[in-house]
Amino acid sequence: MILESLPSGPLEVNCYIVGCENTRKAVVIDPGGNVEAILRIVKKHELDVVMIINTHGHFDHIGGNKQLQEATGAELLAHRADRSVMAQAREHAAIFGLSANPSPAPTRELVGRETLQVGALRLRVMHTPGHSAGGICLYVEDCLFSGDTLFAGSVGRTDLPEGDYYQLISSIREQLLGLPDATKVYPGHGPATTIGNEKQHNPFLV
């Protein structure tokens, strides 16, 4: 599996480029911005981006959707419960004194439990509401792309519209902590971690 990451957008979201080594098909997860840099990575690995996936619809994770979709022709996927959040990106950005690029509507709306095929890679969609109603994580091989659900030593904030702390903790405990301890966790912000490390040391979970 090809895996590259870079900070993107005004809040430095971790954008991930995940590609199949055999077919060169790829998915871009959470392009918050910096689309030119994303495309340089795509070109370096000679990838064909077939999907853009948002782990949730907050403005900082969707800012590059339009430009990247226009450049690649890829499908845009997000959970259906975040439809309204995506549509209100400008209003939510204004809360932080920022502007936001609007996103096109998803070409495919997810519900959770889907398995997405990208070349030989199989991405399992896990609906993990709490940070937002439509938050998802993506599990592929031994990697979890956790969006703003789970961070190294922390969890997603729940004081934004449609956030729910108890729902978030339940999502993590019921869906993520059952994964193998060696699972690498790649969050929407900050450094990578592992499920085992978070089970032992995350103060919100121990």
Side-chain angles (χ1 to χ4, degrees), residues 128-129 137 148-151 154-156 165-179 195 198 202 204-205:
T128 53
C137 297
D148 286 4
T149 297
L150 178 64
F151 300 124
S154 190
V155 298
Y165 177 80
Y166 297 103
Q167 188 178 48
L168 179 71
I169 298 301
S170 176
S171 291
I172 295 170
R173 291 192 179 281
E174 293 178 9
Q175 298 201 60
L176 304 188
L177 298 190
L179 296 172
I195 289 293
E198 297 314 302
N202 191 313
F204 293 91
L205 304 174

PDB file of all heavy atoms in Angstrom, residues 128-129 137 148-151 154-156 165-179 195 198 202 204-205:
ATOM      1  N   THR A 128     -18.813   6.492  12.960  1.00  0.00           N
ATOM      2  CA  THR A 128     -18.419   6.795  14.341  1.00  0.00           C
ATOM      3  C   THR A 128     -18.899   8.195  14.725  1.00  0.00           C
ATOM      4  O   THR A 128     -18.103   9.124  14.873  1.00  0.00           O
ATOM      5  CB  THR A 128     -16.892   6.687  14.503  1.00  0.00           C
ATOM      6  OG1 THR A 128     -16.250   7.503  13.509  1.00  0.00           O
ATOM      7  CG2 THR A 128     -16.419   5.250  14.340  1.00  0.00           C
ATOM      8  N   PRO A 129     -20.199   8.376  14.885  1.00  0.00           N
ATOM      9  CA  PRO A 129     -20.726   9.706  15.215  1.00  0.00           C
ATOM     10  C   PRO A 129     -20.276  10.165  16.593  1.00  0.00           C
ATOM     11  O   PRO A 129     -19.901   9.374  17.452  1.00  0.00           O
ATOM     12  CB  PRO A 129     -22.242   9.499  15.165  1.00  0.00           C
ATOM     13  CG  PRO A 129     -22.433   8.046  15.468  1.00  0.00           C
ATOM     14  CD  PRO A 129     -21.250   7.358  14.837  1.00  0.00           C
ATOM     15  N   CYS A 137     -14.719   6.502  10.173  1.00  0.00           N
ATOM     16  CA  CYS A 137     -13.330   6.083  10.125  1.00  0.00           C
ATOM     17  C   CYS A 137     -13.197   5.069   8.992  1.00  0.00           C
ATOM     18  O   CYS A 137     -14.173   4.413   8.617  1.00  0.00           O
ATOM     19  CB  CYS A 137     -12.897   5.446  11.445  1.00  0.00           C
ATOM     20  SG  CYS A 137     -12.956   6.563  12.866  1.00  0.00           S
ATOM     21  N   ASP A 148     -11.557  13.038  12.856  1.00  0.00           N
ATOM     22  CA  ASP A 148     -11.517  13.748  14.133  1.00  0.00           C
ATOM     23  C   ASP A 148     -12.241  12.968  15.228  1.00  0.00           C
ATOM     24  O   ASP A 148     -12.729  13.547  16.203  1.00  0.00           O
ATOM     25  CB  ASP A 148     -12.128  15.138  13.985  1.00  0.00           C
ATOM     26  CG  ASP A 148     -11.211  16.096  13.242  1.00  0.00           C
ATOM     27  OD1 ASP A 148     -10.140  15.657  12.769  1.00  0.00           O
ATOM     28  OD2 ASP A 148     -11.573  17.283  13.111  1.00  0.00           O
ATOM     29  N   THR A 149     -12.306  11.649  15.074  1.00  0.00           N
ATOM     30  CA  THR A 149     -12.897  10.802  16.102  1.00  0.00           C
ATOM     31  C   THR A 149     -11.895  10.505  17.206  1.00  0.00           C
ATOM     32  O   THR A 149     -12.164  10.704  18.396  1.00  0.00           O
ATOM     33  CB  THR A 149     -13.419   9.490  15.486  1.00  0.00           C
ATOM     34  OG1 THR A 149     -14.468   9.787  14.561  1.00  0.00           O
ATOM     35  CG2 THR A 149     -13.955   8.549  16.557  1.00  0.00           C
ATOM     36  N   LEU A 150     -10.706  10.032  16.815  1.00  0.00           N
ATOM     37  CA  LEU A 150      -9.691   9.618  17.778  1.00  0.00           C
ATOM     38  C   LEU A 150      -8.351  10.230  17.413  1.00  0.00           C
ATOM     39  O   LEU A 150      -7.935  10.161  16.247  1.00  0.00           O
ATOM     40  CB  LEU A 150      -9.574   8.088  17.787  1.00  0.00           C
ATOM     41  CG  LEU A 150      -8.514   7.473  18.702  1.00  0.00           C
ATOM     42  CD1 LEU A 150      -8.827   7.754  20.171  1.00  0.00           C
ATOM     43  CD2 LEU A 150      -8.410   5.973  18.458  1.00  0.00           C
ATOM     44  N   PHE A 151      -7.682  10.827  18.402  1.00  0.00           N
ATOM     45  CA  PHE A 151      -6.349  11.408  18.225  1.00  0.00           C
ATOM     46  C   PHE A 151      -5.357  10.708  19.150  1.00  0.00           C
ATOM     47  O   PHE A 151      -5.742   9.971  20.065  1.00  0.00           O
ATOM     48  CB  PHE A 151      -6.363  12.904  18.580  1.00  0.00           C
ATOM     49  CG  PHE A 151      -7.284  13.737  17.747  1.00  0.00           C
ATOM     50  CD1 PHE A 151      -8.266  14.517  18.353  1.00  0.00           C
ATOM     51  CD2 PHE A 151      -7.174  13.769  16.372  1.00  0.00           C
ATOM     52  CE1 PHE A 151      -9.115  15.306  17.598  1.00  0.00           C
ATOM     53  CE2 PHE A 151      -8.017  14.556  15.606  1.00  0.00           C
ATOM     54  CZ  PHE A 151      -8.988  15.332  16.212  1.00  0.00           C
ATOM     55  N   SER A 154      -6.018  11.871  22.762  1.00  0.00           N
ATOM     56  CA  SER A 154      -7.210  12.707  22.882  1.00  0.00           C
ATOM     57  C   SER A 154      -8.327  12.152  22.003  1.00  0.00           C
ATOM     58  O   SER A 154      -8.181  11.111  21.357  1.00  0.00           O
ATOM     59  CB  SER A 154      -6.886  14.158  22.484  1.00  0.00           C
ATOM     60  OG  SER A 154      -7.962  15.028  22.808  1.00  0.00           O
ATOM     61  N   VAL A 155      -9.443  12.871  21.991  1.00  0.00           N
ATOM     62  CA  VAL A 155     -10.589  12.528  21.151  1.00  0.00           C
ATOM     63  C   VAL A 155     -11.108  13.809  20.512  1.00  0.00           C
ATOM     64  O   VAL A 155     -10.714  14.918  20.885  1.00  0.00           O
ATOM     65  CB  VAL A 155     -11.707  11.845  21.972  1.00  0.00           C
ATOM     66  CG1 VAL A 155     -11.220  10.529  22.569  1.00  0.00           C
ATOM     67  CG2 VAL A 155     -12.237  12.771  23.061  1.00  0.00           C
ATOM     68  N   GLY A 156     -11.996  13.664  19.557  1.00  0.00           N
ATOM     69  CA  GLY A 156     -12.535  14.822  18.858  1.00  0.00           C
ATOM     70  C   GLY A 156     -13.364  15.715  19.768  1.00  0.00           C
ATOM     71  O   GLY A 156     -14.007  15.235  20.713  1.00  0.00           O
ATOM     72  N   TYR A 165     -20.612  14.212  23.137  1.00  0.00           N
ATOM     73  CA  TYR A 165     -19.468  13.578  23.795  1.00  0.00           C
ATOM     74  C   TYR A 165     -19.726  12.103  24.106  1.00  0.00           C
ATOM     75  O   TYR A 165     -18.876  11.244  23.834  1.00  0.00           O
ATOM     76  CB  TYR A 165     -19.131  14.327  25.084  1.00  0.00           C
ATOM     77  CG  TYR A 165     -18.008  13.678  25.865  1.00  0.00           C
ATOM     78  CD1 TYR A 165     -16.680  13.876  25.490  1.00  0.00           C
ATOM     79  CD2 TYR A 165     -18.283  12.867  26.965  1.00  0.00           C
ATOM     80  CE1 TYR A 165     -15.644  13.275  26.200  1.00  0.00           C
ATOM     81  CE2 TYR A 165     -17.255  12.264  27.674  1.00  0.00           C
ATOM     82  CZ  TYR A 165     -15.939  12.469  27.284  1.00  0.00           C
ATOM     83  OH  TYR A 165     -14.928  11.865  27.978  1.00  0.00           O
ATOM     84  N   TYR A 166     -20.877  11.799  24.675  1.00  0.00           N
ATOM     85  CA  TYR A 166     -21.147  10.419  25.078  1.00  0.00           C
ATOM     86  C   TYR A 166     -21.264   9.510  23.859  1.00  0.00           C
ATOM     87  O   TYR A 166     -20.831   8.351  23.891  1.00  0.00           O
ATOM     88  CB  TYR A 166     -22.397  10.357  25.949  1.00  0.00           C
ATOM     89  CG  TYR A 166     -22.214  11.120  27.243  1.00  0.00           C
ATOM     90  CD1 TYR A 166     -22.772  12.381  27.415  1.00  0.00           C
ATOM     91  CD2 TYR A 166     -21.427  10.592  28.274  1.00  0.00           C
ATOM     92  CE1 TYR A 166     -22.575  13.092  28.590  1.00  0.00           C
ATOM     93  CE2 TYR A 166     -21.220  11.298  29.451  1.00  0.00           C
ATOM     94  CZ  TYR A 166     -21.796  12.545  29.596  1.00  0.00           C
ATOM     95  OH  TYR A 166     -21.578  13.258  30.758  1.00  0.00           O
ATOM     96  N   GLN A 167     -21.821  10.033  22.807  1.00  0.00           N
ATOM     97  CA  GLN A 167     -21.898   9.263  21.563  1.00  0.00           C
ATOM     98  C   GLN A 167     -20.506   9.016  20.987  1.00  0.00           C
ATOM     99  O   GLN A 167     -20.205   7.925  20.490  1.00  0.00           O
ATOM    100  CB  GLN A 167     -22.775  10.001  20.557  1.00  0.00           C
ATOM    101  CG  GLN A 167     -23.091   9.206  19.298  1.00  0.00           C
ATOM    102  CD  GLN A 167     -24.004   9.963  18.362  1.00  0.00           C
ATOM    103  OE1 GLN A 167     -23.778  11.128  18.065  1.00  0.00           O
ATOM    104  NE2 GLN A 167     -25.053   9.306  17.886  1.00  0.00           N
ATOM    105  N   LEU A 168     -19.642  10.027  21.062  1.00  0.00           N
ATOM    106  CA  LEU A 168     -18.273   9.884  20.558  1.00  0.00           C
ATOM    107  C   LEU A 168     -17.525   8.795  21.317  1.00  0.00           C
ATOM    108  O   LEU A 168     -16.896   7.910  20.712  1.00  0.00           O
ATOM    109  CB  LEU A 168     -17.536  11.208  20.678  1.00  0.00           C
ATOM    110  CG  LEU A 168     -16.075  11.194  20.217  1.00  0.00           C
ATOM    111  CD1 LEU A 168     -15.999  11.059  18.711  1.00  0.00           C
ATOM    112  CD2 LEU A 168     -15.351  12.445  20.677  1.00  0.00           C
ATOM    113  N   ILE A 169     -17.561   8.835  22.637  1.00  0.00           N
ATOM    114  CA  ILE A 169     -16.862   7.838  23.435  1.00  0.00           C
ATOM    115  C   ILE A 169     -17.428   6.452  23.166  1.00  0.00           C
ATOM    116  O   ILE A 169     -16.680   5.457  23.061  1.00  0.00           O
ATOM    117  CB  ILE A 169     -16.943   8.182  24.936  1.00  0.00           C
ATOM    118  CG1 ILE A 169     -16.254   9.529  25.212  1.00  0.00           C
ATOM    119  CG2 ILE A 169     -16.325   7.073  25.774  1.00  0.00           C
ATOM    120  CD1 ILE A 169     -14.783   9.571  24.819  1.00  0.00           C
ATOM    121  N   SER A 170     -18.730   6.358  23.007  1.00  0.00           N
ATOM    122  CA  SER A 170     -19.356   5.076  22.688  1.00  0.00           C
ATOM    123  C   SER A 170     -18.886   4.569  21.328  1.00  0.00           C
ATOM    124  O   SER A 170     -18.586   3.374  21.169  1.00  0.00           O
ATOM    125  CB  SER A 170     -20.879   5.216  22.697  1.00  0.00           C
ATOM    126  OG  SER A 170     -21.499   4.009  22.313  1.00  0.00           O
ATOM    127  N   SER A 171     -18.794   5.461  20.345  1.00  0.00           N
ATOM    128  CA  SER A 171     -18.317   5.064  19.020  1.00  0.00           C
ATOM    129  C   SER A 171     -16.912   4.492  19.098  1.00  0.00           C
ATOM    130  O   SER A 171     -16.602   3.463  18.482  1.00  0.00           O
ATOM    131  CB  SER A 171     -18.323   6.271  18.070  1.00  0.00           C
ATOM    132  OG  SER A 171     -19.628   6.697  17.764  1.00  0.00           O
ATOM    133  N   ILE A 172     -16.049   5.164  19.848  1.00  0.00           N
ATOM    134  CA  ILE A 172     -14.662   4.712  19.971  1.00  0.00           C
ATOM    135  C   ILE A 172     -14.595   3.368  20.678  1.00  0.00           C
ATOM    136  O   ILE A 172     -13.915   2.429  20.222  1.00  0.00           O
ATOM    137  CB  ILE A 172     -13.821   5.766  20.710  1.00  0.00           C
ATOM    138  CG1 ILE A 172     -13.735   7.055  19.883  1.00  0.00           C
ATOM    139  CG2 ILE A 172     -12.419   5.223  21.006  1.00  0.00           C
ATOM    140  CD1 ILE A 172     -13.140   8.237  20.633  1.00  0.00           C
ATOM    141  N   ARG A 173     -15.283   3.255  21.803  1.00  0.00           N
ATOM    142  CA  ARG A 173     -15.204   2.022  22.590  1.00  0.00           C
ATOM    143  C   ARG A 173     -15.810   0.837  21.836  1.00  0.00           C
ATOM    144  O   ARG A 173     -15.254  -0.272  21.846  1.00  0.00           O
ATOM    145  CB  ARG A 173     -15.907   2.204  23.935  1.00  0.00           C
ATOM    146  CG  ARG A 173     -15.180   3.149  24.880  1.00  0.00           C
ATOM    147  CD  ARG A 173     -15.744   3.063  26.283  1.00  0.00           C
ATOM    148  NE  ARG A 173     -15.047   3.945  27.200  1.00  0.00           N
ATOM    149  CZ  ARG A 173     -13.864   3.692  27.754  1.00  0.00           C
ATOM    150  NH1 ARG A 173     -13.253   2.554  27.468  1.00  0.00           N
ATOM    151  NH2 ARG A 173     -13.300   4.552  28.579  1.00  0.00           N
ATOM    152  N   GLU A 174     -16.935   1.050  21.190  1.00  0.00           N
ATOM    153  CA  GLU A 174     -17.654  -0.060  20.570  1.00  0.00           C
ATOM    154  C   GLU A 174     -17.069  -0.465  19.226  1.00  0.00           C
ATOM    155  O   GLU A 174     -17.169  -1.634  18.829  1.00  0.00           O
ATOM    156  CB  GLU A 174     -19.130   0.301  20.407  1.00  0.00           C
ATOM    157  CG  GLU A 174     -19.875   0.436  21.734  1.00  0.00           C
ATOM    158  CD  GLU A 174     -21.321   0.828  21.558  1.00  0.00           C
ATOM    159  OE1 GLU A 174     -21.812   0.827  20.400  1.00  0.00           O
ATOM    160  OE2 GLU A 174     -21.969   1.150  22.574  1.00  0.00           O
ATOM    161  N   GLN A 175     -16.452   0.476  18.509  1.00  0.00           N
ATOM    162  CA  GLN A 175     -16.008   0.154  17.156  1.00  0.00           C
ATOM    163  C   GLN A 175     -14.491   0.144  16.981  1.00  0.00           C
ATOM    164  O   GLN A 175     -13.964  -0.692  16.253  1.00  0.00           O
ATOM    165  CB  GLN A 175     -16.620   1.137  16.160  1.00  0.00           C
ATOM    166  CG  GLN A 175     -18.133   1.088  16.127  1.00  0.00           C
ATOM    167  CD  GLN A 175     -18.672   1.663  14.843  1.00  0.00           C
ATOM    168  OE1 GLN A 175     -18.383   1.181  13.758  1.00  0.00           O
ATOM    169  NE2 GLN A 175     -19.435   2.728  14.966  1.00  0.00           N
ATOM    170  N   LEU A 176     -13.795   1.059  17.632  1.00  0.00           N
ATOM    171  CA  LEU A 176     -12.367   1.194  17.349  1.00  0.00           C
ATOM    172  C   LEU A 176     -11.497   0.381  18.293  1.00  0.00           C
ATOM    173  O   LEU A 176     -10.495  -0.212  17.866  1.00  0.00           O
ATOM    174  CB  LEU A 176     -11.960   2.672  17.408  1.00  0.00           C
ATOM    175  CG  LEU A 176     -12.732   3.622  16.493  1.00  0.00           C
ATOM    176  CD1 LEU A 176     -12.090   5.007  16.516  1.00  0.00           C
ATOM    177  CD2 LEU A 176     -12.845   3.095  15.073  1.00  0.00           C
ATOM    178  N   LEU A 177     -11.825   0.326  19.567  1.00  0.00           N
ATOM    179  CA  LEU A 177     -10.951  -0.335  20.529  1.00  0.00           C
ATOM    180  C   LEU A 177     -10.940  -1.845  20.375  1.00  0.00           C
ATOM    181  O   LEU A 177     -10.067  -2.523  20.938  1.00  0.00           O
ATOM    182  CB  LEU A 177     -11.323   0.052  21.958  1.00  0.00           C
ATOM    183  CG  LEU A 177     -11.183   1.548  22.299  1.00  0.00           C
ATOM    184  CD1 LEU A 177     -11.347   1.766  23.792  1.00  0.00           C
ATOM    185  CD2 LEU A 177      -9.851   2.119  21.816  1.00  0.00           C
ATOM    186  N   GLY A 178     -11.855  -2.382  19.589  1.00  0.00           N
ATOM    187  CA  GLY A 178     -11.845  -3.813  19.306  1.00  0.00           C
ATOM    188  C   GLY A 178     -10.905  -4.207  18.184  1.00  0.00           C
ATOM    189  O   GLY A 178     -10.693  -5.402  17.935  1.00  0.00           O
ATOM    190  N   LEU A 179     -10.331  -3.224  17.498  1.00  0.00           N
ATOM    191  CA  LEU A 179      -9.365  -3.522  16.448  1.00  0.00           C
ATOM    192  C   LEU A 179      -8.061  -4.016  17.091  1.00  0.00           C
ATOM    193  O   LEU A 179      -7.803  -3.756  18.266  1.00  0.00           O
ATOM    194  CB  LEU A 179      -9.101  -2.264  15.617  1.00  0.00           C
ATOM    195  CG  LEU A 179     -10.300  -1.705  14.842  1.00  0.00           C
ATOM    196  CD1 LEU A 179      -9.951  -0.360  14.222  1.00  0.00           C
ATOM    197  CD2 LEU A 179     -10.764  -2.686  13.777  1.00  0.00           C
ATOM    198  N   ILE A 195      -3.819   1.701  18.203  1.00  0.00           N
ATOM    199  CA  ILE A 195      -4.960   1.373  19.059  1.00  0.00           C
ATOM    200  C   ILE A 195      -4.476   0.935  20.435  1.00  0.00           C
ATOM    201  O   ILE A 195      -5.018   1.352  21.470  1.00  0.00           O
ATOM    202  CB  ILE A 195      -5.822   0.276  18.403  1.00  0.00           C
ATOM    203  CG1 ILE A 195      -6.577   0.848  17.190  1.00  0.00           C
ATOM    204  CG2 ILE A 195      -6.808  -0.318  19.414  1.00  0.00           C
ATOM    205  CD1 ILE A 195      -7.639   1.878  17.506  1.00  0.00           C
ATOM    206  N   GLU A 198      -3.492   3.884  22.602  1.00  0.00           N
ATOM    207  CA  GLU A 198      -4.640   4.672  23.075  1.00  0.00           C
ATOM    208  C   GLU A 198      -5.410   3.926  24.158  1.00  0.00           C
ATOM    209  O   GLU A 198      -5.910   4.535  25.106  1.00  0.00           O
ATOM    210  CB  GLU A 198      -5.539   5.048  21.900  1.00  0.00           C
ATOM    211  CG  GLU A 198      -4.854   5.952  20.879  1.00  0.00           C
ATOM    212  CD  GLU A 198      -4.089   7.102  21.524  1.00  0.00           C
ATOM    213  OE1 GLU A 198      -4.709   7.893  22.256  1.00  0.00           O
ATOM    214  OE2 GLU A 198      -2.863   7.180  21.322  1.00  0.00           O
ATOM    215  N   ASN A 202      -4.645   6.839  26.642  1.00  0.00           N
ATOM    216  CA  ASN A 202      -5.531   7.958  26.336  1.00  0.00           C
ATOM    217  C   ASN A 202      -6.410   8.277  27.559  1.00  0.00           C
ATOM    218  O   ASN A 202      -7.185   7.423  27.985  1.00  0.00           O
ATOM    219  CB  ASN A 202      -6.410   7.620  25.123  1.00  0.00           C
ATOM    220  CG  ASN A 202      -7.156   8.823  24.581  1.00  0.00           C
ATOM    221  OD1 ASN A 202      -7.766   9.579  25.332  1.00  0.00           O
ATOM    222  ND2 ASN A 202      -7.135   8.991  23.273  1.00  0.00           N
ATOM    223  N   PHE A 204      -9.023   9.865  28.005  1.00  0.00           N
ATOM    224  CA  PHE A 204     -10.473   9.833  27.789  1.00  0.00           C
ATOM    225  C   PHE A 204     -11.004   8.401  27.735  1.00  0.00           C
ATOM    226  O   PHE A 204     -12.224   8.200  27.753  1.00  0.00           O
ATOM    227  CB  PHE A 204     -10.823  10.563  26.490  1.00  0.00           C
ATOM    228  CG  PHE A 204     -10.559  12.029  26.528  1.00  0.00           C
ATOM    229  CD1 PHE A 204      -9.330  12.532  26.121  1.00  0.00           C
ATOM    230  CD2 PHE A 204     -11.503  12.922  26.987  1.00  0.00           C
ATOM    231  CE1 PHE A 204      -9.056  13.890  26.153  1.00  0.00           C
ATOM    232  CE2 PHE A 204     -11.255  14.281  27.035  1.00  0.00           C
ATOM    233  CZ  PHE A 204     -10.027  14.767  26.621  1.00  0.00           C
ATOM    234  N   LEU A 205     -10.099   7.419  27.647  1.00  0.00           N
ATOM    235  CA  LEU A 205     -10.520   6.041  27.405  1.00  0.00           C
ATOM    236  C   LEU A 205     -10.085   5.069  28.486  1.00  0.00           C
ATOM    237  O   LEU A 205     -10.651   3.972  28.591  1.00  0.00           O
ATOM    238  CB  LEU A 205      -9.970   5.569  26.047  1.00  0.00           C
ATOM    239  CG  LEU A 205     -10.342   6.437  24.846  1.00  0.00           C
ATOM    240  CD1 LEU A 205      -9.610   5.946  23.610  1.00  0.00           C
ATOM    241  CD2 LEU A 205     -11.851   6.436  24.618  1.00  0.00           C
TER     242      LEU A 205
END
